[in-house]
């Protein structure tokens, strides 16, 4: 990874090295804050910023909106994942968003997923995506709505299934964005 990073321009290299901050602090966040999922989101989504600036040589509002969307999505799906550890985390004194939100976990995941969709829709407007991308965003939103409807704090197996289904949500986005330029040729 370092060899790839060092092949970029100075701005990208600096931006890449800044990613070390959330990566280094994340493992300690469960002991410090009830928001480790937010720190994970900051760390996970960082690569998108570096990739965008490497391709465009600029950090624009488009990239920032995609980054923020990815952070919100990560908070949502990692909250779902953390439902599995709810009881053990309570015993061990580990903090998490499901423990913070309690019975409002489903509502809060819906808010974070909604914010992710809102930020993506702004980015889609700024990038001027076509109808296939918007259709994919609608499919992504429908998939997230299905997840929200299934959340059950008392069923860790469902939480793992829902967490893993985010692979499908990401595939819906990636496929629609990949095929969108083809739809403009027709």
């Amino acid at each position: 990874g370092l060899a790839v990073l060092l092949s970029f321009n100075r701005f990208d290299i600096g931006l890449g090295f800044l990613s070390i901050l959330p990566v280094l602090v994340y493992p300690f966040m469960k002991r410090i804050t009830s928001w480790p999922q937010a720190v994970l989101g900051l760390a996970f989504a960082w690569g998108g910023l570096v990739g965008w600036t490497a391709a465009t040589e600029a950090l624009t509002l488009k990239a920032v909106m995609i980054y923020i969307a990815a952070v919100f999505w990560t908070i949502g799906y990692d909250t779902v994942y953390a439902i599995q550890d709810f009881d053990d985390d309570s015993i061990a004194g580990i903090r998490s968003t499901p423990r913070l939100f309690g019975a409002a976990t489903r509502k809060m995941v819906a808010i974070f997923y909604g914010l992710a969709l809102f930020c993506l829709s702004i980015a889609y407007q700024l990038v001027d995506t076509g109808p296939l991308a918007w259709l994919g965003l609608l499919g992504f939103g429908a998939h997230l709505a299905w997840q929200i409807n299934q959340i059950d704090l008392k069923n860790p197996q469902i939480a793992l299934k829902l967490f893993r289904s985010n692979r499908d949500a990401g595939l819906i986005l990636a496929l629609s964005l990949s095929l969108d330029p083809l739809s403009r040729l027709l």
Side-chain angles (χ1 to χ4, degrees):
L2 180 60
V4 172
L5 180 62
L6 294 177
S7 72
F8 296 147
N9 64 46
R10 286 184 182 168
F11 182 77
D12 293 327
I13 293 169
L15 189 61
F17 276 113
L18 281 176
S19 72
I20 293 170
L21 297 173
V23 169
L24 288 177
V25 300
Y26 170 69
F28 306 103
M29 290 297 103
K30 290 183 176 188
R31 302 257 180 224
I32 297 170
T33 179
S34 295
W35 290 91
Q37 287 71 26
V39 179
L40 180 67
L42 294 172
F44 269 16
W46 203 281
L49 291 176
V50 175
W52 184 279
T53 58
T56 66
E57 298 185 0
L59 185 58
T60 64
L61 181 59
K62 298 169 194 176
V64 171
M65 293 310 297
I66 293 168
Y67 174 73
I68 294 170
V71 170
F72 285 139
W73 183 23
T74 304
I75 294 170
Y77 72 64
D78 200 52
T79 295
V80 171
Y81 181 82
I83 290 170
Q84 298 175 91
D85 302 324
F86 191 92
D87 293 335
D88 292 336
D89 286 351
S90 297
I91 294 167
I94 301 289
R95 298 177 181 181
S96 68
T97 49
R99 288 195 57 217
L100 175 68
F101 302 150
T105 297
R106 179 184 290 177
K107 176 182 174 183
M108 295 304 294
V109 169
I111 289 170
F112 286 114
Y113 282 172
L115 288 168
L117 286 164
F118 176 74
C119 292
L120 283 173
S121 68
I122 292 171
Y124 277 32
Q125 287 269 196
L126 293 170
V127 174
D128 193 29
T129 57
L132 199 50
W134 285 101
L135 187 61
L137 186 61
L138 184 63
F140 176 74
H143 184 85
L144 297 182
W146 168 80
Q147 284 185 36
I148 293 162
N149 190 50
Q150 300 297 312
I151 291 173
D152 181 356
L153 286 175
K154 297 184 183 346
N155 192 330
Q157 291 78 21
I158 288 178
L160 181 59
K161 174 185 167 188
L162 296 175
F163 168 77
R164 287 181 174 165
S165 78
N166 280 283
R167 176 206 61 200
D168 301 333
L171 285 172
I172 292 167
L173 274 183
L175 185 61
S176 66
L177 286 169
S178 297
L179 295 176
D180 188 62
L182 296 176
S183 70
R184 294 171 186 237
L185 297 174
L186 302 174

